[in-house]
């Protein structure tokens, strides 16, 4: 039997969320991007996990800090430049005003789905029991303190501390 045939014969894994075995599940999401289109996947997945009763931790690092920095969190941008998924000619992305236009269109599309903006989404995640952590190295690198961050960030911790807090968690890097 070939490896392909063995893989095809393997039964599908289907999670059961009402099963007592699912108790104690954890999800750890590393948020490394601060673009509007990269913020929402993490927030949506965190919200979904919390809705299923999964202990959820978000760790903001590098450009992901824009999602939790008071000065930037309400003004994340979306750019077409270098993003082939927009299905637009790449040269258009570099024209003046295109980032503003693309951001506006994306925000409108998200709002039409009744999805909250980033600060309100973070409020919702925290109210549902989610945990928000800031990366120590990123904070130091950007000269940021807890005073600069969204009030519901629990602490600025090292990557090692985050690994300890999320021991046994399913990990997503966004």
């Amino acid at each position: 039997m070939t490896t392909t045939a063995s893989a095809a014969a393997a039964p599908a894994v289907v999670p059961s969320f009402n099963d007592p075995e699912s108790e104690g599940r954890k999800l750890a999401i590393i948020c490394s991007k601060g673009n509007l289109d990269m913020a929402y996947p993490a927030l949506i997945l965190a919200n979904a996990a919390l809705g299923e009763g999964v202990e959820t931790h978000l760790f903001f690092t590098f450009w992901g800090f824009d999602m939790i920095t008071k000065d930037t969190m309400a003004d994340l941008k979306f750019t077409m430049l270098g993003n082939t998924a927009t299905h637009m000619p790449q040269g258009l992305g570099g024209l003046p005003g295109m980032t503003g236009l693309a951001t506006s269109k994306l925000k409108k599309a998200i709002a039409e789905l009744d999805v909250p903006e980033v600060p309100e989404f973070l409020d919702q995640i925290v109210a549902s029991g989610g945990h928000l952590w800031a990366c120590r190295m990123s904070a130091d690198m950007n000269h940021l303190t807890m005073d600069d961050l969204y009030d519901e960030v629990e602490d600025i911790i090292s990557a090692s501390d985050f690994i300890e807090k999320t021991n046994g968690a399913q990990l997503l890097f966004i």
Side-chain angles (χ1 to χ4, degrees), residues 86-98:
T86 62
H87 306 289
M88 299 289 289
Q90 286 300 295
L92 292 178
L95 294 175
M98 289 307 290

Side-chain angles (χ1 to χ4, degrees), residues 35-96:
N35 294 7
L36 187 63
D37 61 322
M38 295 305 295
Y40 276 98
L43 300 176
I44 290 166
L45 288 166
N47 188 56
L50 288 163
E52 296 296 333
V54 176
E55 181 181 327
T56 304
H57 298 262
L58 289 92
F59 185 68
F60 299 88
T61 187
F62 284 89
W63 294 273
F65 250 66
D66 282 351
M67 294 172 63
I68 57 167
T69 301
K70 291 175 183 174
D71 289 345
T72 57
M73 64 189 293
D75 195 33
L76 300 183
K77 304 282 189 243
F78 170 64
T79 181
M80 297 170 27
L81 196 58
N83 187 343
T84 58
T86 62
H87 306 289
M88 299 289 289
Q90 286 300 295
L92 292 178
L95 294 175

Side-chain angles (χ1 to χ4, degrees), residues 3-170:
T3 305
T4 306
S6 298
V13 176
V14 179
S16 174
F17 296 111
N18 294 325
D19 188 344
E21 290 180 23
S22 68
E23 288 183 20
R25 291 178 62 214
K26 286 185 188 180
L27 177 63
I29 302 173
I30 298 172
C31 303
S32 67
K33 310 277 188 308
N35 294 7
L36 187 63
D37 61 322
M38 295 305 295
Y40 276 98
L43 300 176
I44 290 166
L45 288 166
N47 188 56
L50 288 163
E52 296 296 333
V54 176
E55 181 181 327
T56 304
H57 298 262
L58 289 92
F59 185 68
F60 299 88
T61 187
F62 284 89
W63 294 273
F65 250 66
D66 282 351
M67 294 172 63
I68 57 167
T69 301
K70 291 175 183 174
D71 289 345
T72 57
M73 64 189 293
D75 195 33
L76 300 183
K77 304 282 189 243
F78 170 64
T79 181
M80 297 170 27
L81 196 58
N83 187 343
T84 58
T86 62
H87 306 289
M88 299 289 289
Q90 286 300 295
L92 292 178
L95 294 175
M98 289 307 290
T99 295
L101 178 63
T103 300
S104 175
K105 288 183 64 107
L106 182 58
K107 281 187 172 188
K108 182 179 179 204
I110 291 168
E112 287 174 356
L113 296 173
D114 290 325
V115 175
E117 292 199 21
V118 171
E120 291 78 25
F121 216 153
L122 288 169
D123 289 342
Q124 182 176 319
I125 287 167
V126 169
S128 298
H131 302 277
L132 309 179
W133 307 100
C135 172
R136 165 59 56 204
M137 187 183 91
S138 295
D140 291 349
M141 192 171 64
N142 291 296
H143 309 289
L144 297 171
T145 67
M146 287 293 290
D147 290 337
D148 300 307
L149 304 179
Y150 170 66
D151 291 336
E152 300 301 326
V153 170
E154 293 183 41
D155 203 357
I156 300 172
I157 62 175
S158 70
S160 296
D161 290 338
F162 183 70
I163 296 299
E164 287 298 315
K165 288 182 180 302
T166 59
N167 184 30
Q170 185 177 7

